Short mmCIF file of all heavy atoms in Angstrom, two decimals:
data_model
loop_
_atom_site.label_atom_id
_atom_site.label_comp_id
_atom_site.label_asym_id
_atom_site.label_seq_id
_atom_site.Cartn_x
_atom_site.Cartn_y
_atom_site.Cartn_z
N HIS A 135 -15.72 -11.75 -4.43
CA HIS A 135 -15.56 -12.96 -5.25
C HIS A 135 -15.06 -12.66 -6.66
O HIS A 135 -15.52 -13.25 -7.64
CB HIS A 135 -16.89 -13.73 -5.32
CG HIS A 135 -17.20 -14.47 -4.06
ND1 HIS A 135 -17.91 -15.64 -4.04
CD2 HIS A 135 -16.89 -14.21 -2.76
CE1 HIS A 135 -18.03 -16.07 -2.78
NE2 HIS A 135 -17.42 -15.21 -2.00
N MET A 136 -14.09 -11.75 -6.75
CA MET A 136 -13.44 -11.52 -8.04
C MET A 136 -12.73 -12.81 -8.46
O MET A 136 -12.09 -13.45 -7.62
CB MET A 136 -12.42 -10.38 -7.93
CG MET A 136 -11.62 -10.15 -9.21
SD MET A 136 -10.35 -8.84 -9.02
CE MET A 136 -11.38 -7.39 -8.97
N PRO A 137 -12.86 -13.26 -9.72
CA PRO A 137 -12.16 -14.48 -10.15
C PRO A 137 -10.67 -14.39 -9.81
O PRO A 137 -10.03 -13.37 -10.09
CB PRO A 137 -12.38 -14.49 -11.67
CG PRO A 137 -13.67 -13.75 -11.85
CD PRO A 137 -13.66 -12.67 -10.81
N TYR A 138 -10.13 -15.45 -9.21
CA TYR A 138 -8.77 -15.38 -8.70
C TYR A 138 -7.74 -15.11 -9.79
O TYR A 138 -6.76 -14.41 -9.56
CB TYR A 138 -8.40 -16.67 -7.95
CG TYR A 138 -7.03 -16.57 -7.34
CD1 TYR A 138 -6.78 -15.68 -6.28
CD2 TYR A 138 -5.96 -17.33 -7.82
CE1 TYR A 138 -5.52 -15.57 -5.73
CE2 TYR A 138 -4.70 -17.23 -7.26
CZ TYR A 138 -4.48 -16.34 -6.23
OH TYR A 138 -3.23 -16.22 -5.67
N TRP A 139 -7.95 -15.65 -10.99
CA TRP A 139 -6.95 -15.43 -12.05
C TRP A 139 -6.87 -13.96 -12.43
O TRP A 139 -5.78 -13.46 -12.72
CB TRP A 139 -7.27 -16.30 -13.28
CG TRP A 139 -8.48 -15.89 -14.07
CD1 TRP A 139 -9.76 -16.34 -13.92
CD2 TRP A 139 -8.52 -14.93 -15.13
NE1 TRP A 139 -10.61 -15.72 -14.80
CE2 TRP A 139 -9.87 -14.86 -15.57
CE3 TRP A 139 -7.57 -14.13 -15.75
CZ2 TRP A 139 -10.28 -14.00 -16.60
CZ3 TRP A 139 -7.97 -13.27 -16.77
CH2 TRP A 139 -9.31 -13.22 -17.18
N LYS A 140 -8.03 -13.27 -12.41
CA LYS A 140 -8.02 -11.83 -12.68
C LYS A 140 -7.30 -11.09 -11.56
O LYS A 140 -6.48 -10.20 -11.79
CB LYS A 140 -9.45 -11.30 -12.81
CG LYS A 140 -10.15 -11.69 -14.10
CD LYS A 140 -11.48 -10.97 -14.19
CE LYS A 140 -12.17 -11.27 -15.51
NZ LYS A 140 -13.47 -10.54 -15.63
N PHE A 141 -7.64 -11.47 -10.32
CA PHE A 141 -7.00 -10.83 -9.17
C PHE A 141 -5.50 -11.05 -9.19
O PHE A 141 -4.72 -10.11 -8.99
CB PHE A 141 -7.60 -11.37 -7.88
CG PHE A 141 -6.85 -10.93 -6.65
CD1 PHE A 141 -7.04 -9.65 -6.14
CD2 PHE A 141 -5.92 -11.76 -6.04
CE1 PHE A 141 -6.33 -9.22 -5.03
CE2 PHE A 141 -5.22 -11.34 -4.93
CZ PHE A 141 -5.43 -10.07 -4.43
N LEU A 142 -5.08 -12.30 -9.43
CA LEU A 142 -3.66 -12.62 -9.41
C LEU A 142 -2.90 -11.87 -10.49
O LEU A 142 -1.79 -11.36 -10.25
CB LEU A 142 -3.45 -14.13 -9.58
CG LEU A 142 -2.00 -14.62 -9.48
CD1 LEU A 142 -1.42 -14.31 -8.12
CD2 LEU A 142 -1.93 -16.11 -9.77
N THR A 143 -3.48 -11.78 -11.69
CA THR A 143 -2.83 -11.05 -12.79
C THR A 143 -2.59 -9.59 -12.41
O THR A 143 -1.48 -9.06 -12.54
CB THR A 143 -3.68 -11.12 -14.07
OG1 THR A 143 -3.85 -12.48 -14.46
CG2 THR A 143 -3.00 -10.36 -15.21
N ALA A 144 -3.67 -8.94 -11.93
CA ALA A 144 -3.55 -7.53 -11.55
C ALA A 144 -2.65 -7.37 -10.33
O ALA A 144 -1.89 -6.40 -10.22
CB ALA A 144 -4.94 -6.96 -11.25
N ASN A 145 -2.70 -8.33 -9.42
CA ASN A 145 -1.90 -8.30 -8.20
C ASN A 145 -0.41 -8.36 -8.53
O ASN A 145 0.39 -7.56 -8.03
CB ASN A 145 -2.31 -9.47 -7.31
CG ASN A 145 -1.54 -9.52 -6.01
OD1 ASN A 145 -1.01 -8.52 -5.54
ND2 ASN A 145 -1.46 -10.69 -5.42
N VAL A 146 -0.02 -9.31 -9.38
CA VAL A 146 1.39 -9.48 -9.74
C VAL A 146 1.90 -8.27 -10.51
O VAL A 146 2.96 -7.72 -10.20
CB VAL A 146 1.59 -10.77 -10.57
CG1 VAL A 146 3.01 -10.82 -11.13
CG2 VAL A 146 1.32 -12.00 -9.72
N LEU A 147 1.13 -7.83 -11.52
CA LEU A 147 1.56 -6.67 -12.33
C LEU A 147 1.64 -5.41 -11.48
O LEU A 147 2.58 -4.62 -11.59
CB LEU A 147 0.61 -6.47 -13.50
CG LEU A 147 0.61 -7.58 -14.56
CD1 LEU A 147 -0.43 -7.29 -15.64
CD2 LEU A 147 1.99 -7.72 -15.20
N GLY A 148 0.64 -5.21 -10.62
CA GLY A 148 0.64 -4.04 -9.74
C GLY A 148 1.78 -4.08 -8.75
O GLY A 148 2.42 -3.06 -8.47
N GLY A 149 2.06 -5.27 -8.19
CA GLY A 149 3.16 -5.41 -7.24
C GLY A 149 4.51 -5.11 -7.88
O GLY A 149 5.34 -4.41 -7.30
N ILE A 150 4.71 -5.63 -9.09
CA ILE A 150 5.97 -5.37 -9.80
C ILE A 150 6.11 -3.88 -10.13
O ILE A 150 7.17 -3.28 -9.92
CB ILE A 150 6.04 -6.20 -11.10
CG1 ILE A 150 6.15 -7.69 -10.76
CG2 ILE A 150 7.22 -5.76 -11.96
CD1 ILE A 150 6.05 -8.61 -11.96
N ALA A 151 5.02 -3.28 -10.65
CA ALA A 151 5.07 -1.86 -11.04
C ALA A 151 5.31 -0.96 -9.83
O ALA A 151 6.13 -0.03 -9.90
CB ALA A 151 3.77 -1.48 -11.75
N TRP A 152 4.59 -1.23 -8.73
CA TRP A 152 4.71 -0.37 -7.55
C TRP A 152 6.01 -0.61 -6.79
O TRP A 152 6.80 0.32 -6.59
CB TRP A 152 3.52 -0.57 -6.62
CG TRP A 152 3.64 0.21 -5.35
CD1 TRP A 152 3.47 1.56 -5.19
CD2 TRP A 152 3.99 -0.30 -4.06
NE1 TRP A 152 3.70 1.92 -3.88
CE2 TRP A 152 4.01 0.80 -3.16
CE3 TRP A 152 4.28 -1.58 -3.57
CZ2 TRP A 152 4.31 0.65 -1.80
CZ3 TRP A 152 4.57 -1.73 -2.22
CH2 TRP A 152 4.58 -0.62 -1.35
N ALA A 153 6.23 -1.85 -6.37
CA ALA A 153 7.41 -2.15 -5.54
C ALA A 153 8.70 -2.00 -6.35
O ALA A 153 9.64 -1.33 -5.92
CB ALA A 153 7.29 -3.58 -4.98
N GLY A 154 8.72 -2.62 -7.54
CA GLY A 154 9.92 -2.52 -8.37
C GLY A 154 10.16 -1.11 -8.87
O GLY A 154 11.28 -0.61 -8.86
N GLY A 155 9.08 -0.45 -9.30
CA GLY A 155 9.20 0.92 -9.81
C GLY A 155 9.65 1.90 -8.74
O GLY A 155 10.54 2.74 -8.98
N THR A 156 9.06 1.80 -7.54
CA THR A 156 9.44 2.70 -6.44
C THR A 156 10.90 2.50 -6.06
O THR A 156 11.65 3.47 -5.88
CB THR A 156 8.55 2.46 -5.21
OG1 THR A 156 7.19 2.73 -5.54
CG2 THR A 156 8.96 3.36 -4.05
N THR A 157 11.31 1.24 -5.96
CA THR A 157 12.71 0.94 -5.61
C THR A 157 13.66 1.52 -6.65
O THR A 157 14.66 2.16 -6.30
CB THR A 157 12.92 -0.58 -5.50
OG1 THR A 157 12.04 -1.12 -4.51
CG2 THR A 157 14.36 -0.89 -5.12
N ALA A 158 13.35 1.30 -7.93
CA ALA A 158 14.23 1.77 -9.01
C ALA A 158 14.33 3.30 -9.03
O ALA A 158 15.43 3.86 -9.12
CB ALA A 158 13.72 1.26 -10.36
N VAL A 159 13.17 3.96 -8.94
CA VAL A 159 13.16 5.43 -9.01
C VAL A 159 13.95 6.04 -7.85
O VAL A 159 14.83 6.90 -8.04
CB VAL A 159 11.72 5.97 -9.01
CG1 VAL A 159 11.70 7.49 -8.80
CG2 VAL A 159 11.03 5.63 -10.33
N ILE A 160 13.66 5.60 -6.61
CA ILE A 160 14.34 6.16 -5.44
C ILE A 160 15.83 5.82 -5.46
O ILE A 160 16.68 6.65 -5.12
CB ILE A 160 13.70 5.64 -4.13
CG1 ILE A 160 12.22 6.08 -4.05
CG2 ILE A 160 14.45 6.15 -2.92
CD1 ILE A 160 12.02 7.57 -4.04
N TYR A 161 16.15 4.60 -5.91
CA TYR A 161 17.57 4.20 -5.98
C TYR A 161 18.35 5.10 -6.95
O TYR A 161 19.41 5.61 -6.60
CB TYR A 161 17.67 2.74 -6.41
CG TYR A 161 19.09 2.29 -6.67
CD1 TYR A 161 19.94 1.98 -5.60
CD2 TYR A 161 19.59 2.19 -7.97
CE1 TYR A 161 21.25 1.58 -5.83
CE2 TYR A 161 20.89 1.78 -8.20
CZ TYR A 161 21.72 1.48 -7.14
OH TYR A 161 23.01 1.09 -7.36
N TYR A 162 17.82 5.29 -8.15
CA TYR A 162 18.54 6.09 -9.15
C TYR A 162 18.57 7.57 -8.79
O TYR A 162 19.54 8.26 -9.09
CB TYR A 162 17.96 5.86 -10.54
CG TYR A 162 18.37 4.52 -11.12
CD1 TYR A 162 17.45 3.51 -11.34
CD2 TYR A 162 19.72 4.28 -11.42
CE1 TYR A 162 17.84 2.27 -11.83
CE2 TYR A 162 20.12 3.05 -11.92
CZ TYR A 162 19.18 2.05 -12.13
OH TYR A 162 19.59 0.83 -12.61
N VAL A 163 17.52 8.04 -8.14
CA VAL A 163 17.55 9.42 -7.66
C VAL A 163 18.65 9.56 -6.62
O VAL A 163 19.40 10.55 -6.60
CB VAL A 163 16.18 9.82 -7.04
CG1 VAL A 163 16.30 11.11 -6.23
CG2 VAL A 163 15.14 10.02 -8.15
N GLY A 164 18.77 8.55 -5.75
CA GLY A 164 19.82 8.58 -4.73
C GLY A 164 21.21 8.53 -5.33
O GLY A 164 22.13 9.19 -4.84
N ILE A 165 21.39 7.76 -6.40
CA ILE A 165 22.70 7.67 -7.06
C ILE A 165 23.06 8.99 -7.73
O ILE A 165 24.18 9.51 -7.59
CB ILE A 165 22.70 6.54 -8.12
CG1 ILE A 165 22.62 5.16 -7.44
CG2 ILE A 165 23.94 6.62 -9.01
CD1 ILE A 165 23.81 4.82 -6.59
N VAL A 166 22.11 9.57 -8.44
CA VAL A 166 22.36 10.81 -9.17
C VAL A 166 22.65 11.97 -8.22
O VAL A 166 23.51 12.80 -8.47
CB VAL A 166 21.15 11.15 -10.08
CG1 VAL A 166 21.30 12.55 -10.66
CG2 VAL A 166 21.02 10.13 -11.20
N ALA A 167 21.91 12.01 -7.13
CA ALA A 167 22.06 13.14 -6.21
C ALA A 167 22.56 12.66 -4.85
O ALA A 167 22.08 13.11 -3.81
CB ALA A 167 20.74 13.88 -6.08
N GLU A 168 23.50 11.75 -4.83
CA GLU A 168 23.94 11.12 -3.58
C GLU A 168 24.40 12.13 -2.54
O GLU A 168 23.99 12.08 -1.39
CB GLU A 168 25.08 10.13 -3.88
CG GLU A 168 25.52 9.37 -2.64
CD GLU A 168 26.57 8.33 -2.96
OE1 GLU A 168 26.95 8.20 -4.14
OE2 GLU A 168 27.03 7.67 -2.01
N GLY A 169 25.26 13.05 -2.93
CA GLY A 169 25.77 14.02 -1.97
C GLY A 169 24.68 14.88 -1.38
O GLY A 169 24.63 15.13 -0.18
N TRP A 170 23.74 15.31 -2.25
CA TRP A 170 22.66 16.18 -1.78
C TRP A 170 21.71 15.42 -0.89
O TRP A 170 21.26 15.91 0.14
CB TRP A 170 21.91 16.73 -2.99
CG TRP A 170 20.90 17.78 -2.65
CD1 TRP A 170 21.15 19.09 -2.37
CD2 TRP A 170 19.49 17.60 -2.56
NE1 TRP A 170 19.97 19.74 -2.11
CE2 TRP A 170 18.94 18.84 -2.22
CE3 TRP A 170 18.64 16.51 -2.73
CZ2 TRP A 170 17.58 19.04 -2.04
CZ3 TRP A 170 17.29 16.69 -2.55
CH2 TRP A 170 16.76 17.93 -2.22
N LEU A 171 21.42 14.16 -1.27
CA LEU A 171 20.46 13.37 -0.49
C LEU A 171 21.05 12.93 0.85
O LEU A 171 20.29 12.69 1.79
CB LEU A 171 20.02 12.13 -1.29
CG LEU A 171 19.00 12.40 -2.39
CD1 LEU A 171 18.76 11.13 -3.21
CD2 LEU A 171 17.69 12.90 -1.82
N LYS A 172 22.36 12.84 0.95
CA LYS A 172 22.95 12.50 2.24
C LYS A 172 22.68 13.61 3.26
O LYS A 172 22.52 13.36 4.44
CB LYS A 172 24.46 12.29 2.09
CG LYS A 172 24.83 10.91 1.58
CD LYS A 172 26.32 10.74 1.52
CE LYS A 172 26.68 9.32 1.05
NZ LYS A 172 28.13 9.14 0.91
N LYS A 173 22.64 14.83 2.76
CA LYS A 173 22.38 15.95 3.64
C LYS A 173 20.89 16.11 3.91
O LYS A 173 20.47 16.50 4.99
CB LYS A 173 22.92 17.24 3.00
CG LYS A 173 22.88 18.44 3.93
CD LYS A 173 23.53 19.64 3.26
CE LYS A 173 23.51 20.84 4.19
NZ LYS A 173 24.12 22.03 3.55
N PHE A 174 20.07 15.78 2.92
CA PHE A 174 18.62 15.94 3.06
C PHE A 174 17.91 14.60 2.79
O PHE A 174 17.01 14.52 1.98
CB PHE A 174 18.10 16.99 2.08
CG PHE A 174 18.69 18.35 2.28
CD1 PHE A 174 19.69 18.81 1.43
CD2 PHE A 174 18.28 19.16 3.32
CE1 PHE A 174 20.26 20.07 1.61
CE2 PHE A 174 18.84 20.41 3.50
CZ PHE A 174 19.83 20.87 2.65
N SER A 175 18.35 13.55 3.48
CA SER A 175 17.80 12.22 3.22
C SER A 175 16.34 12.09 3.62
O SER A 175 15.65 11.18 3.19
CB SER A 175 18.62 11.17 3.98
OG SER A 175 18.56 11.40 5.37
N TRP A 176 15.87 13.03 4.45
CA TRP A 176 14.47 12.96 4.88
C TRP A 176 13.51 13.39 3.78
O TRP A 176 12.31 13.18 3.88
CB TRP A 176 14.27 13.85 6.10
CG TRP A 176 14.88 15.22 5.96
CD1 TRP A 176 16.10 15.63 6.41
CD2 TRP A 176 14.32 16.36 5.30
NE1 TRP A 176 16.34 16.93 6.07
CE2 TRP A 176 15.25 17.41 5.40
CE3 TRP A 176 13.12 16.60 4.64
CZ2 TRP A 176 15.03 18.66 4.86
CZ3 TRP A 176 12.89 17.85 4.10
CH2 TRP A 176 13.84 18.87 4.22
N LEU A 177 14.02 14.01 2.70
CA LEU A 177 13.13 14.53 1.67
C LEU A 177 12.29 13.44 1.02
O LEU A 177 11.10 13.61 0.78
CB LEU A 177 13.96 15.25 0.59
CG LEU A 177 13.14 15.95 -0.51
CD1 LEU A 177 12.26 17.03 0.09
CD2 LEU A 177 14.05 16.55 -1.57
N GLY A 178 12.92 12.28 0.76
CA GLY A 178 12.18 11.17 0.17
C GLY A 178 11.05 10.70 1.07
O GLY A 178 9.94 10.43 0.62
N LEU A 179 11.32 10.65 2.38
CA LEU A 179 10.28 10.24 3.33
C LEU A 179 9.16 11.26 3.40
O LEU A 179 7.98 10.92 3.43
CB LEU A 179 10.90 10.06 4.72
CG LEU A 179 11.73 8.79 4.93
CD1 LEU A 179 12.34 8.79 6.32
CD2 LEU A 179 10.86 7.57 4.73
N VAL A 180 9.53 12.55 3.43
CA VAL A 180 8.52 13.60 3.49
C VAL A 180 7.62 13.52 2.27
O VAL A 180 6.39 13.63 2.36
CB VAL A 180 9.19 14.99 3.58
CG1 VAL A 180 8.14 16.10 3.42
CG2 VAL A 180 9.91 15.14 4.91
N LEU A 181 8.24 13.32 1.09
CA LEU A 181 7.46 13.21 -0.14
C LEU A 181 6.50 12.03 -0.09
O LEU A 181 5.34 12.13 -0.46
CB LEU A 181 8.42 13.05 -1.33
CG LEU A 181 7.78 13.00 -2.72
CD1 LEU A 181 6.98 14.27 -3.00
CD2 LEU A 181 8.83 12.78 -3.79
N ALA A 182 7.00 10.88 0.40
CA ALA A 182 6.16 9.68 0.49
C ALA A 182 5.00 9.91 1.45
O ALA A 182 3.85 9.53 1.18
CB ALA A 182 6.99 8.49 0.96
N VAL A 183 5.28 10.56 2.58
CA VAL A 183 4.22 10.84 3.56
C VAL A 183 3.18 11.78 2.99
O VAL A 183 1.98 11.58 3.15
CB VAL A 183 4.84 11.43 4.85
CG1 VAL A 183 3.74 11.94 5.78
CG2 VAL A 183 5.67 10.39 5.56
#
Side-chain angles (χ1 to χ4, degrees):
H135 285 211
M136 176 183 288
Y138 184 67
W139 71 268
K140 287 187 176 182
F141 171 78
L142 183 61
T143 300
N145 181 24
V146 171
L147 293 177
I150 292 173
W152 176 74
T156 299
T157 301
V159 169
I160 298 299
Y161 173 78
Y162 284 113
V163 166
I165 291 295
V166 171
E168 184 176 0
W170 188 79
L171 282 174
K172 278 183 178 177
K173 188 176 181 181
F174 299 103
S175 61
W176 47 264
L177 185 61
L179 285 177
V180 171
L181 183 60
V183 171

